[in-house]
Amino acid sequence: MSANAQAPTRKADPAAAAVDKTPDVHAFLNEVAQRNPGEPEFLQAVHEVAQDVLPFIADKPEYRDMRVLERMAEPDRIISFRVAWQDDQGKVQINRGYRVQNNNAIGPYKGGLRFHPSVNQGILKFLAFEQTFKNSLTGLPMGGGKGGADFDPKGRSEAEIMRFCQAFMSELVNHIGPDCDVPAGDIGVGGREIGFLFGQYKRLSHQFQGVLTGKGTSFGGSLMRPEATGYGTVYMMQNLLQHAGEDIAGKTCVVSGSGNVATFCVQKLTELGGKVVTLSDSGGYIHDAQGISAEKLHWVMELKNKHRGRIEAYASEFGCDFHAGERPWHVPCDLAFPCATQNELNEVDAAALARNNCRAVSEGANMPTTPGAMQVLTDAGIAVAPAKAANAGGVATSGLEMSQNSQRYAWTREEIDSKLQTIMAGIHEQCLAYGEHNQGVNYGRGANIAGFVKVADAMLAQGVL
Ligand code: NDP
Ligand code: 2IT
């Protein structure tokens, strides 16, 4: 496998995550590492936040003494359960399902469900922790949660997917509700799965409620929810560039992934005059130097959503290169959008982006950049809009879906898009408020501190819980 090979979820280095020069950060992370053995992604996510938040609260005893960050890094509860179901051959299959309810200080738990063979408790804890800060940044009243199962939807029939979703919801139904915990989609969970999950919840609870977001528009789903994460990632980049007096038009863009986030990211970039030259999946990436036009993107969406095909097919359909087992970061670009999965952009990739004079990165996926890669990008002066800010448009629009469900009303596409743009601009402002310094903007620090403050203040007001 070359240095640029596409490993399945690469493991973060827990030792690296536990080393930091600030004594406070070091002690804090040691304690977290001891309490959460074998969960490198969770440690990585906590480290990223702690390195910004601990210095910020160093002179704020109200947060320190009440051990607010320590409490945020300990989920309110974790539910884990057996999901037994029968495949098309009648064979009994057993998976493990989870819901991590991280923090509900500012609203009901809210966050996606991931169906992927790599799912484990540590990965969902990292995602639920991140979600707590992300949801805070949206300005909407949503706490943080995440769930899923180690189920692999690849190669499964529609009937098998439905039976799995029904079995999964048969237990999850006991732990969620419109004012308690509202799941949505993530990797491997899109509109089709949300439909099956919603149907089973309704059957078991005898209630038609806004208990999931990302629903079909005929049964309470919000317009623009499918587009929202990818569009939001681009709106974040637009804000970042505008702050520096630049624009997306004319920029060459590299995008990874070819699922929900990636495809709508490409759609908005193209609409704004950007030229997107790559897409990928776990098999490798395509490089289309001509650019992925609206027509070609439509073909990709059909390939992925209808035929459940592989991105390799794009290369033969449109006559371009396919790089098996590799990721797209070595293709020269002005802007990069990692939109597949965690730790998909490493130090070697970051060095390639720097060498090719990449200007900025907007993270559509959750924690796609390794800590080492983040350092390389920062040293090279490449601005990085971190996931908890850049991909918050998805959950923000989920929040808007909850509002519409509560009102029993539906806003127009234009109304939602305008609210989404306002929310993304607001997140950019919050990043500036805490992240702007003499040399520029540290978006990561800005997002971490702004996300922390709102949740922390709510926790202080609510007592020791
Ligand atoms: P999808 O399932 O629609 O697409 C995922 C894409 O990423 C596919 O192309 C998939 O390829 C690829 N991928 C997944 N896992 C791996 C892996 N281990 N190695 C290489 N490629 C991989 O998911 P989404 O687009 O919804 O999610 C993508 C990212 O965005 C995730 O990090 C998710 O947490 C994040 N996100 C999603 C939001 C949403 O609203 N959906 C909101 C905010 C963040 P293949 O098909 O070959 O597996
Ligand atoms: O990571 C995420 O923010 C999501 N998968 C979307 C969560 C949501 O509740 O819409």
Side-chain angles (χ1 to χ4, degrees), residues 38-341:
E39 297 183 342
E41 292 87 359
F42 178 62
L43 268 188
Q44 184 184 336
V46 174
H47 186 188
E48 271 182 20
V49 168
Q51 70 190 359
D52 292 326
V53 167
L54 290 179
F56 172 75
I57 63 174
D59 60 352
K60 298 177 182 62
E62 64 275 25
Y63 296 132
R64 282 179 70 115
D65 297 349
M66 297 313 283
R67 304 191 69 196
V68 174
L69 188 61
E70 286 88 336
R71 283 192 274 151
M72 285 182 190
E74 185 68 36
D76 288 1
R77 71 188 61 75
I78 300 173
I79 300 133
S80 153
F81 49 94
R82 179 181 65 243
V83 186
W85 56 285
Q86 275 180 297
D87 67 19
D88 285 346
Q89 283 69 48
K91 196 169 158 221
V92 174
Q93 300 282 345
I94 300 169
N95 289 99
R96 188 170 294 169
Y98 304 88
R99 187 72 181 163
V100 178
Q101 297 178 332
N102 194 70
N103 188 296
N104 67 353
I106 64 169
Y109 305 108
K110 179 85 197 86
L113 296 171
R114 179 177 289 191
F115 291 169
H116 193 271
S118 65
V119 161
N120 59 38
Q121 181 171 296
I123 287 181
L124 295 179
K125 277 169 69 179
F126 118 61
L127 289 162
F129 179 78
E130 285 277 295
Q131 197 82 45
T132 303
F133 294 81
K134 183 196 305 189
N135 293 3
S136 163
L137 287 170
T138 66
L140 300 174
M142 301 181 290
K146 198 85 184 189
D150 59 355
F151 168 70
D152 188 356
K154 282 200 190 79
R156 291 294 178 191
S157 69
E158 184 108 345
E160 288 178 318
I161 300 280
M162 181 181 77
R163 285 197 296 277
F164 179 81
C165 288
Q166 291 177 343
F168 181 83
M169 183 52 84
S170 297
E171 174 60 31
L172 192 68
V173 66
N174 299 311
H175 310 286
I176 61 174
D179 296 312
C180 159
D181 185 349
V182 183
D186 193 77
I187 292 175
V189 179
R192 174 181 64 167
E193 290 74 19
I194 294 292
F196 293 145
L197 292 163
F198 180 79
Q200 183 73 350
Y201 180 89
K202 180 167 62 76
R203 170 158 76 179
L204 296 173
S205 68
H206 292 232
Q207 302 280 318
F208 191 109
Q209 291 178 319
V211 70
L212 291 154
T213 59
K215 301 183 291 295
T217 48
S218 60
F219 54 98
S222 176
L223 289 167
M224 293 282 299
R225 176 61 189 90
E227 292 90 335
T229 310
Y231 279 21
T233 303
V234 176
Y235 292 149
M236 186 68 194
M237 178 64 92
Q238 216 180 8
N239 279 285
L240 183 155
L241 291 175
Q242 274 165 10
H243 186 68
E246 298 177 52
D247 200 0
I248 282 173
K251 298 269 195 306
T252 299
C253 306
V254 159
V255 176
S256 68
S258 48
N260 171 266
V261 181
T263 49
F264 285 108
C265 174
V266 174
Q267 187 169 82
K268 184 51 75 177
L269 283 171
T270 311
E271 213 179 287
L272 295 174
K275 180 178 169 187
V276 184
V277 294
T278 65
L279 276 173
S280 72
D281 61 22
S282 53
Y285 78 90
I286 58 104
H287 179 197
D288 184 348
Q290 306 297 313
I292 300 167
S293 62
E295 293 70 31
K296 289 173 178 173
L297 182 65
H298 178 72
W299 184 90
V300 172
M301 287 174 163
E302 295 262 306
L303 171 80
K304 288 289 171 183
N305 301 332
K306 268 201 192 147
H307 311 298
R308 311 270 157 189
R310 310 303 301 156
I311 200 66
E312 182 174 6
Y314 181 105
S316 34
E317 179 73 16
F318 298 111
C320 73
D321 294 339
F322 173 69
H323 301 263
E326 293 189 23
R327 292 175 304 222
W329 313 122
H330 294 238
V331 174
C333 66
D334 302 308
L335 307 174
F337 298 85
C339 295
T341 193

